[in-house]
Amino acid sequence: MSSALKHATVGSRLFSIHSAQTQTQTQSICHKLKSPTHQTLHHLLEQCSSMKELKLLHAQIILHGLSHQVLTLGKLVSFCSTHEQGYLRYAHLVFDRIPQPNKFMYNHLIRGYLNSDDPAMSLSLYRRMVCAGLSPNEFTIPFVVKACSFKALYWELVIVHAHAIKLGMGSHACVQNAFLSAYVACHLIQSARRLFDGISDKTLVSWNSMIAGYTKMGCWEEVILLFQEMRNLGVEPDVFTLVSLLSVSSKHGNLDLGRFVHLYIVVTGTEIDSIVTNALINMYAKCGHLQCAKSVFDRMVDKNVVSWTSMVNAFANHGLINYALDVFNQMPVKNVISWNSIICCHVQEGQYTEAVELFRRMCISGVIPDEATLVSILSSCSHMGDLALGKQAHSFICDNNITMNVTLHNSIIDMYAKCGALQTAMDIFFVMPEKNVVSWNIIIGALALHGFGEEAIEMFEKMQARGLCPDEITFTGLLSACSHSGLVDIGRYYFDMMSSSFGISPDVAHYACMVDLLGRGGLLGEAMTLIQKMPIRPDVVVWGALLGACRTHGNLEIGKPIMKQLLELGRYDSGLYVLLANMYSESQRWDDIKKIRKIMDQSGIKKCRAISFIEIDGCCYQFMVDDKRHGASASIYSMLDQLMDHLKFVCKPLYAEEIY
């Protein structure tokens, strides 16, 4: 079957399927195509608002004998390849039925696939184009080069580069800049620099690409040198240059560079957009100058959601959570990133109840949570022990088909483990399609927390069998497991293994675990010797572990030296002082108790009030001693009084019997 007959057959089928409702459109198109011109065709293509209309137009083109005109088919392929509604598949079908596609058609189809979900097809079309004997031009190469940078296809990029040089296009500015950007995207900064140095006539795009490349790699000294060289040559920076420089300043805390860029903008009167202004806010905030960040923010005329979120993050990252919340509440429009910022900062500050309340506000506002939101909420549930809310978050993820990546899986496992549902955590862990070191660390730590020391060690052996290398956190979990299960010899073995087999130097957390392990086993002398041999200064956790062991075994002789060390550290942890006071109380050493209380009073140390959590009907409540914050506190205390009276009445005969 000839190509013309194929087109006619396709056109007839397309034309016959249209209903009576499209007859008016058909007549209009037929009328305009009585004496068709390319301008008429182009105008009709621009008017197409749906695939249905496009097929109708294509049918009319075929029926009017226009399908043999290369220019007409080229416009059809071009329009379908680049249309915002996505007619790329249809463009490819039309393209495949053309006997000899020209360079124009190839270029537009390559460009279309570059902006699709299948950029690799651009490379396939490029190979097909070269095999067909068509030489690519300066419009083809940049699209193909960009496709190479998507998957970091180094050798394909080199081959295309060599081909471009062979075709004599190596000196074209647009081609050189395309390769420069591709090498940067592939993290081949040295190759990019060699190409950059070989460009005789560098454009502003060339400078920006190179500066952006060094910025991504964190090479801030090279960025500054390039900027100075650029200014010496009289090349004026644009907003892209300024954003790269401010990014370097933010990442490295280089306030001098940031101020220089800001001063340059003010002195030269450079017009900047919201992107540069937001970068200025971010730079001052990360360099610790919140007042300057706020000043830039207040001067902004058109604040967008990024501007507001930058200011929220500025306060949140410095622990000024109330200021962050004030700015957040003033935001006219909030997106998921804004909500994530304020929720995350509450979690980091330990305000888990407030974070959960913000999450509820977010859901009510209609903003859909993403992975970052759910990780923060699951973390809050873990710290509060709110299993009911954690289950709701898990159900939300499953019901909404949210992609369960390894980070989200880890958060779910951690939540279930810390909320007491260890078996559920284990079940999820075993069915995870992908496990990283964090996954194994969480499950080892969970088993240690619940007293399953031998099972934690078994997990560690399975982890090694999978070829994963443990890190510092892995050994913290292992030593903790040995401590909770009284496995002293195994704990010593793993403590030595850290440095001998894996080259991990024990930090203060590992020493604290070992002191706790030895202390629980009654080896207080060995624990004290280990502390004395520590290459780093022991902290309050290490001394606290030893102090707890001293109380367990009734050894008061080490208590006074520990108190001396705590005072030298300048750490005033009420829990340790209370622990020491209880030790003296149990031994009826009242004078020593008075001394501790005196030290606490002089240092302004207040005993922390313990908080209890209780879950009722799926809701988690927290309360303290003599806490009257709950709305029903009057009824609660009334019920408690009734229960106490009842207990006294029930137990009174027992007391009388004992006395008798």
Side-chain angles (χ1 to χ4, degrees), residues 239-244 246-247 265 271-283 296 300 302-304 306-307 310:
V239 293
F240 297 102
T241 321
L242 299 174
V243 167
S244 292
L246 291 171
S247 176
I265 293 170
E271 292 187 7
I272 58 175
D273 56 12
S274 60
I275 297 176
V276 180
T277 311
N278 293 336
L280 276 171
I281 296 171
N282 191 50
M283 180 274 296
V296 174
M300 285 187 72
D302 297 321
K303 300 180 180 72
N304 57 21
V306 179
S307 314
S310 297

Side-chain angles (χ1 to χ4, degrees), residues 472-594:
E472 296 87 349
I473 300 174
T474 315
F475 282 100
T476 301
L478 271 178
L479 294 174
S480 177
C482 294
S483 177
H484 284 87
S485 300
L487 305 174
V488 178
D489 292 335
I490 298 176
R492 289 195 189 104
Y493 169 74
Y494 283 126
F495 186 76
D496 293 336
M497 178 193 285
M498 285 178 59
S499 55
S500 62
S501 299
F502 297 97
I504 299 173
S505 300
D507 60 21
V508 69
H510 300 115
Y511 279 103
C513 288
M514 278 302 297
V515 170
D516 187 53
L517 170 64
L518 296 171
R520 287 172 185 260
L523 303 172
L524 299 180
E526 185 178 346
M528 195 65 188
T529 302
L530 179 66
I531 293 175
Q532 292 170 350
K533 291 182 178 180
M534 283 177 62
I536 50 181
R537 191 177 183 184
D539 66 356
V540 66
V541 180
V542 175
W543 290 116
L546 183 58
L547 191 60
C550 290
R551 183 188 179 186
T552 301
H553 296 282
N555 189 326
L556 294 176
E557 298 304 319
I558 307 179
K560 285 187 178 180
I562 291 176
M563 176 60 67
K564 181 181 178 181
Q565 294 294 335
L566 291 174
L567 292 173
E568 289 180 357
L569 284 173
R571 293 294 300 270
Y572 304 113
D573 189 324
S574 63
L576 294 178
Y577 288 93
V578 171
L579 178 60
L580 191 56
N582 290 337
M583 289 174 61
Y584 288 136
S585 175
E586 291 166 0
S587 299
Q588 298 182 354
R589 295 173 60 167
W590 312 118
D591 291 337
D592 289 325
I593 294 176
K594 289 179 181 179

Side-chain angles (χ1 to χ4, degrees), residues 224-238:
I224 296 173
L225 290 173
L226 270 180
F227 180 68
Q228 291 174 343
E229 183 182 349
M230 174 183 175
R231 294 285 296 121
N232 292 337
L233 293 173
V235 181
E236 295 295 328
D238 63 0

Side-chain angles (χ1 to χ4, degrees), residues 582-631:
N582 290 337
M583 289 174 61
Y584 288 136
S585 175
E586 291 166 0
S587 299
Q588 298 182 354
R589 295 173 60 167
W590 312 118
D591 291 337
D592 289 325
I593 294 176
K594 289 179 181 179
K595 291 178 183 178
I596 292 176
R597 287 179 177 173
K598 184 178 180 181
I599 292 173
M600 293 179 69
D601 292 336
Q602 290 175 347
S603 304
I605 302 171
K606 300 293 182 182
K607 182 180 177 182
C608 296
R609 301 181 70 183
I611 299 177
S612 298
F613 291 88
I614 186 171
E615 185 179 319
I616 303 174
D617 294 333
C619 294
C620 194
Y621 302 92
Q622 65 176 15
F623 60 92
M624 298 182 292
V625 175
D626 197 29
D627 193 345
K628 297 181 180 179
R629 293 175 297 170
H630 196 278

Side-chain angles (χ1 to χ4, degrees), residues 66-200:
L66 302 175
S67 59
H68 65 282
Q69 296 186 10
V70 175
L71 188 57
T72 301
L73 292 177
K75 285 188 175 182
L76 182 63
V77 172
S78 170
F79 176 81
C80 295
S81 299
T82 57
H83 196 276
E84 59 184 8
Q85 292 188 9
Y87 301 152
L88 186 59
R89 179 172 175 78
Y90 194 80
H92 207 149
L93 289 172
V94 174
F95 178 85
D96 286 340
R97 286 181 169 84
I98 300 173
Q100 293 181 334
N102 60 19
K103 197 177 301 183
F104 177 84
M105 299 174 188
Y106 271 106
N107 285 349
H108 278 85
L109 200 57
I110 288 172
R111 177 186 174 187
Y113 275 110
L114 180 64
N115 298 321
S116 71
D117 296 332
D118 187 17
M121 183 58 72
S122 297
L123 287 172
S124 178
L125 285 166
Y126 175 74
R127 296 189 190 98
R128 179 176 168 183
M129 177 182 181
V130 173
C131 291
L134 293 173
S135 296
N137 55 22
E138 65 273 18
F139 300 105
T140 317
I141 297 297
F143 295 134
V144 178
V145 170
K146 192 173 181 181
C148 293
S149 64
F150 270 96
K151 297 289 184 182
L153 303 172
Y154 172 68
W155 288 112
E156 284 79 355
L157 181 62
V158 171
I159 291 170
V160 174
H161 196 175
H163 194 201
I165 294 172
K166 182 180 178 181
L167 295 171
M169 290 184 289
S171 59
H172 286 243
C174 62
V175 173
Q176 288 176 325
N177 291 332
F179 280 109
L180 188 59
S181 298
Y183 282 126
V184 167
C186 294
H187 301 288
L188 302 168
I189 197 69
Q190 294 181 348
S191 299
R193 186 57 192 260
R194 284 194 295 269
L195 175 60
F196 176 80
D197 291 338
I199 299 175
S200 56

Side-chain angles (χ1 to χ4, degrees), residues 32-51:
K32 292 181 180 180
L33 288 175
K34 285 182 178 178
S35 300
T37 63
H38 297 303
Q39 289 77 11
T40 305
L41 173 64
H42 187 69
H43 178 68
L44 289 173
L45 282 170
E46 288 182 340
Q47 289 183 331
C48 288
S49 58
S50 66
M51 196 69 191

